[in-house]
Each structure stands twice: as C-alpha cells, then as structure tokens.
Amino acid sequence: MRRDMGEHYQRLAGSYDDNWAYSPAFVEWMSAEIARSLSLRAGDRMADVGCGTGLFAKGIVAAVHPRQPVVCADPSAAMLEQLGESESLLPLPASAEDLAERHIALPFEQADAMWLKESVHHVRDPARTLAGLAGLLAPGGRLLVAMLPATIEYPLFAEALRRYEVLQPDPSRIVEHLGAAGLRSELTYVEHELRLDTERYLDMVRSRYMSVLSTFSEAEIEAGIAEIRSRFPGPEVVFPDRFAFVLGVREGSSAGGAR
Ligand SMILES: C[S@@+](CC[C@H](N)C(=O)[O-])C[C@H]1O[C@@H](n2cnc3c(N)ncnc32)[C@H](O)[C@@H]1O
C-alpha cells in the first residue's frame, strides 16, 4: 500500500465504523446487495479483499451465515484491528496484490466468492491484480468489484468532486479487465438514498472519510466545509449513494454440492 494511504487508514481506522454507525440500514442494505450479486451461499469459501474494518463482512455474515470464516484481507493493520474477535471472520494482513501474486495464500485452494468493496481504487495495476485474483476462483466462482461510479453526487466541495473524478477508476475499465481475465463480466448499478444530519456529514468530511479528502490540507478542508455549508444550509443532506457493481463469473459449475 502506498505510504500516504497507509497513514490515511491508520488515522481513520478508529473512527471508520462511527462514520457509518448512524446508518445500520445502509450497512444492511449494502451487505445484502453484495450477497445477492455474488449469489452467496453458506457453503461458499469467501474472501473480502480490502475489507477495512470488516463492517460489510460482518453484515454478510449476518445475512448468509457462512459455514467457514470469511477471509478478511487488508494491508492496513490498523483497519484489520477493528475487526475484533469473531469466529466468523479470519483476518489476513494482505493486499489484493499479495493475494493475486501468490505472495500470501488464502487458507483454501480456491475461492467461491471474493469481493473488493471500495478498495480497487487503491490497486496500482488493476488489470494484472484482478487477473491474479480471478485465477484464485473455483469453477463457477464469482468476483465482485463494488465501487463508486466515475462521477458522484455527494454534497462535497467542488474541488473534492473534481479531484475524485480524476482519481477514480472507470467501472467500464474494470469490466474489461475481468473479461480479459477470462471471466464473464457485467456492470450494474445499485443505489441507496442517504439522509444525514448536515453536521454529522461535515464531521465525516473533517475526518476525511473518503480517501480523496486526504489529499487536502487542514485549511483546505475547513474552506471546503464552509463551501458545503453555504451550498447546503439545511439541517440535513440528502443524496443518492450510487455504486457500480462489476461482477465476474468463472465458467463451470461450483463443486460445493449441497450448500
Ligand atoms: C475505503 S476502505 C473500504 C473498506 C471496506 N471494504 C469497506 O467498504 O468498508 C479501503 C480499504 O482498502 C484497503 N487497501 C488499500 N490498499 C489496498 C490494496 N492494495 N489491496 C487491498 N486493499 C487495499 C485500505 O487499507 C482500506 O481498508
């Protein structure tokens, strides 16, 4: 992981779940969407790549009740520490690249389902790394890249939105990468309305809840917050949280038998 991003997540780890805790409904909805898209079943061997604090892996455990622990891989020790003790989650200090290049092994030979939720933008060479991850899939295995779209309608300040658009990979490129890796791939979008107390949202901006915000200085963030306040003077901000879901499926039938 790049050093600046390592520091970003080291700082953010302790407050990451608080950012979303106001909305258990969001976590439940997103976890259910991931489980639905990946057709997850209890017998699947699963890995959450770039799991962060495990917020969504926990949601998936609650929804699917996997029979073996979900592997939670992340290069940030600080984020992984937030997983806590759980028999259903197996922390693995590893980046997507570590797994893709076989520098670090999954605890099973092949995976039935893997997902990267909002972590693919940290991967330096997505074509190569996604091909490596695709190679870890069992026949019938599924790989989901859940990511923000190329443009977002968040109530951020203008320069943050502009910089976001420069940094964010385009989901249609991810479709191409999964196709080139030999997977049948498709792109869909899911959307959820977020309704947040404005002050709460501004606290999230201040804590740089999105990694793009870590590219701004303290003074720039405060100026950005003033800009957001003037554009959104009400007590709440309401906006669509839209996600691109790029699903890749390896041909063949899964060997899972009765699940
Ligand atoms: C925005 S957070 C998302 C965390 C979690 N998936 C979620 O949705 O809450 C991005 C995560 O990607 C991790 N990350 C950074 N570089 C990575 C890499 N090369 N491979 C996998 N994960 C990476 C970070 O440590 C961080 O935990």
Side-chain angles (χ1 to χ4, degrees), residues 156-163 227-228 231:
L156 285 170
F157 49 100
E159 179 56 19
L161 289 172
R162 195 199 64 77
R163 222 174 267 185
E227 182 185 321
I228 296 172
R231 284 184 51 218

PDB file of all heavy atoms in Angstrom, residues 156-163 227-228 231:
ATOM      1  N   LEU A 156     -20.196  17.344  -1.513  1.00  0.00           N
ATOM      2  CA  LEU A 156     -18.816  17.743  -1.215  1.00  0.00           C
ATOM      3  C   LEU A 156     -18.543  19.111  -1.822  1.00  0.00           C
ATOM      4  O   LEU A 156     -19.359  19.649  -2.571  1.00  0.00           O
ATOM      5  CB  LEU A 156     -17.855  16.714  -1.801  1.00  0.00           C
ATOM      6  CG  LEU A 156     -17.757  15.390  -1.046  1.00  0.00           C
ATOM      7  CD1 LEU A 156     -16.973  14.362  -1.860  1.00  0.00           C
ATOM      8  CD2 LEU A 156     -17.103  15.591   0.324  1.00  0.00           C
ATOM      9  N   PHE A 157     -17.378  19.658  -1.553  1.00  0.00           N
ATOM     10  CA  PHE A 157     -16.993  20.915  -2.189  1.00  0.00           C
ATOM     11  C   PHE A 157     -16.470  20.610  -3.598  1.00  0.00           C
ATOM     12  O   PHE A 157     -16.070  19.475  -3.917  1.00  0.00           O
ATOM     13  CB  PHE A 157     -15.992  21.701  -1.337  1.00  0.00           C
ATOM     14  CG  PHE A 157     -14.820  20.919  -0.821  1.00  0.00           C
ATOM     15  CD1 PHE A 157     -13.586  20.994  -1.445  1.00  0.00           C
ATOM     16  CD2 PHE A 157     -14.935  20.107   0.307  1.00  0.00           C
ATOM     17  CE1 PHE A 157     -12.488  20.289  -0.972  1.00  0.00           C
ATOM     18  CE2 PHE A 157     -13.836  19.396   0.790  1.00  0.00           C
ATOM     19  CZ  PHE A 157     -12.625  19.488   0.147  1.00  0.00           C
ATOM     20  N   ALA A 158     -16.515  21.652  -4.459  1.00  0.00           N
ATOM     21  CA  ALA A 158     -16.299  21.434  -5.893  1.00  0.00           C
ATOM     22  C   ALA A 158     -14.942  20.798  -6.204  1.00  0.00           C
ATOM     23  O   ALA A 158     -14.853  19.879  -7.022  1.00  0.00           O
ATOM     24  CB  ALA A 158     -16.453  22.762  -6.643  1.00  0.00           C
ATOM     25  N   GLU A 159     -13.902  21.260  -5.519  1.00  0.00           N
ATOM     26  CA  GLU A 159     -12.564  20.745  -5.848  1.00  0.00           C
ATOM     27  C   GLU A 159     -12.434  19.262  -5.445  1.00  0.00           C
ATOM     28  O   GLU A 159     -11.742  18.487  -6.117  1.00  0.00           O
ATOM     29  CB  GLU A 159     -11.481  21.599  -5.179  1.00  0.00           C
ATOM     30  CG  GLU A 159     -10.056  21.159  -5.426  1.00  0.00           C
ATOM     31  CD  GLU A 159      -9.652  21.062  -6.918  1.00  0.00           C
ATOM     32  OE1 GLU A 159     -10.321  21.656  -7.780  1.00  0.00           O
ATOM     33  OE2 GLU A 159      -8.660  20.360  -7.188  1.00  0.00           O
ATOM     34  N   ALA A 160     -13.122  18.872  -4.379  1.00  0.00           N
ATOM     35  CA  ALA A 160     -13.075  17.453  -3.973  1.00  0.00           C
ATOM     36  C   ALA A 160     -13.751  16.589  -5.036  1.00  0.00           C
ATOM     37  O   ALA A 160     -13.244  15.512  -5.385  1.00  0.00           O
ATOM     38  CB  ALA A 160     -13.756  17.267  -2.617  1.00  0.00           C
ATOM     39  N   LEU A 161     -14.867  17.063  -5.563  1.00  0.00           N
ATOM     40  CA  LEU A 161     -15.567  16.300  -6.615  1.00  0.00           C
ATOM     41  C   LEU A 161     -14.699  16.214  -7.866  1.00  0.00           C
ATOM     42  O   LEU A 161     -14.624  15.173  -8.512  1.00  0.00           O
ATOM     43  CB  LEU A 161     -16.914  16.945  -6.942  1.00  0.00           C
ATOM     44  CG  LEU A 161     -17.969  16.798  -5.838  1.00  0.00           C
ATOM     45  CD1 LEU A 161     -19.197  17.641  -6.158  1.00  0.00           C
ATOM     46  CD2 LEU A 161     -18.367  15.335  -5.653  1.00  0.00           C
ATOM     47  N   ARG A 162     -14.034  17.316  -8.193  1.00  0.00           N
ATOM     48  CA  ARG A 162     -13.192  17.325  -9.390  1.00  0.00           C
ATOM     49  C   ARG A 162     -12.022  16.347  -9.219  1.00  0.00           C
ATOM     50  O   ARG A 162     -11.744  15.535 -10.083  1.00  0.00           O
ATOM     51  CB  ARG A 162     -12.667  18.752  -9.642  1.00  0.00           C
ATOM     52  CG  ARG A 162     -12.085  18.967 -11.034  1.00  0.00           C
ATOM     53  CD  ARG A 162     -11.192  20.179 -11.088  1.00  0.00           C
ATOM     54  NE  ARG A 162     -10.009  20.059 -10.243  1.00  0.00           N
ATOM     55  CZ  ARG A 162      -8.938  19.333 -10.551  1.00  0.00           C
ATOM     56  NH1 ARG A 162      -8.883  18.695 -11.691  1.00  0.00           N
ATOM     57  NH2 ARG A 162      -7.908  19.260  -9.722  1.00  0.00           N
ATOM     58  N   ARG A 163     -11.387  16.409  -8.060  1.00  0.00           N
ATOM     59  CA  ARG A 163     -10.225  15.552  -7.827  1.00  0.00           C
ATOM     60  C   ARG A 163     -10.658  14.078  -7.782  1.00  0.00           C
ATOM     61  O   ARG A 163      -9.958  13.193  -8.248  1.00  0.00           O
ATOM     62  CB  ARG A 163      -9.569  15.948  -6.503  1.00  0.00           C
ATOM     63  CG  ARG A 163      -8.070  15.967  -6.595  1.00  0.00           C
ATOM     64  CD  ARG A 163      -7.456  16.490  -5.329  1.00  0.00           C
ATOM     65  NE  ARG A 163      -7.188  17.911  -5.340  1.00  0.00           N
ATOM     66  CZ  ARG A 163      -6.558  18.556  -4.355  1.00  0.00           C
ATOM     67  NH1 ARG A 163      -6.138  17.902  -3.295  1.00  0.00           N
ATOM     68  NH2 ARG A 163      -6.350  19.855  -4.429  1.00  0.00           N
ATOM     69  N   GLU A 227     -17.695  25.957   2.229  1.00  0.00           N
ATOM     70  CA  GLU A 227     -18.372  25.922   0.913  1.00  0.00           C
ATOM     71  C   GLU A 227     -19.594  24.983   0.954  1.00  0.00           C
ATOM     72  O   GLU A 227     -20.674  25.325   0.454  1.00  0.00           O
ATOM     73  CB  GLU A 227     -17.367  25.453  -0.149  1.00  0.00           C
ATOM     74  CG  GLU A 227     -17.942  25.419  -1.553  1.00  0.00           C
ATOM     75  CD  GLU A 227     -16.953  24.836  -2.570  1.00  0.00           C
ATOM     76  OE1 GLU A 227     -15.737  25.115  -2.477  1.00  0.00           O
ATOM     77  OE2 GLU A 227     -17.413  24.087  -3.464  1.00  0.00           O
ATOM     78  N   ILE A 228     -19.416  23.815   1.587  1.00  0.00           N
ATOM     79  CA  ILE A 228     -20.541  22.867   1.681  1.00  0.00           C
ATOM     80  C   ILE A 228     -21.678  23.514   2.475  1.00  0.00           C
ATOM     81  O   ILE A 228     -22.849  23.459   2.077  1.00  0.00           O
ATOM     82  CB  ILE A 228     -20.094  21.538   2.362  1.00  0.00           C
ATOM     83  CG1 ILE A 228     -19.053  20.822   1.503  1.00  0.00           C
ATOM     84  CG2 ILE A 228     -21.304  20.638   2.593  1.00  0.00           C
ATOM     85  CD1 ILE A 228     -18.410  19.599   2.177  1.00  0.00           C
ATOM     86  N   ARG A 231     -23.620  25.892   0.406  1.00  0.00           N
ATOM     87  CA  ARG A 231     -24.423  25.257  -0.653  1.00  0.00           C
ATOM     88  C   ARG A 231     -25.553  24.408  -0.079  1.00  0.00           C
ATOM     89  O   ARG A 231     -26.572  24.188  -0.727  1.00  0.00           O
ATOM     90  CB  ARG A 231     -23.524  24.385  -1.532  1.00  0.00           C
ATOM     91  CG  ARG A 231     -22.674  25.227  -2.488  1.00  0.00           C
ATOM     92  CD  ARG A 231     -21.859  24.372  -3.434  1.00  0.00           C
ATOM     93  NE  ARG A 231     -22.641  23.368  -4.118  1.00  0.00           N
ATOM     94  CZ  ARG A 231     -22.217  22.129  -4.389  1.00  0.00           C
ATOM     95  NH1 ARG A 231     -21.020  21.749  -4.029  1.00  0.00           N
ATOM     96  NH2 ARG A 231     -22.983  21.287  -5.038  1.00  0.00           N
TER      97      ARG A 231
END
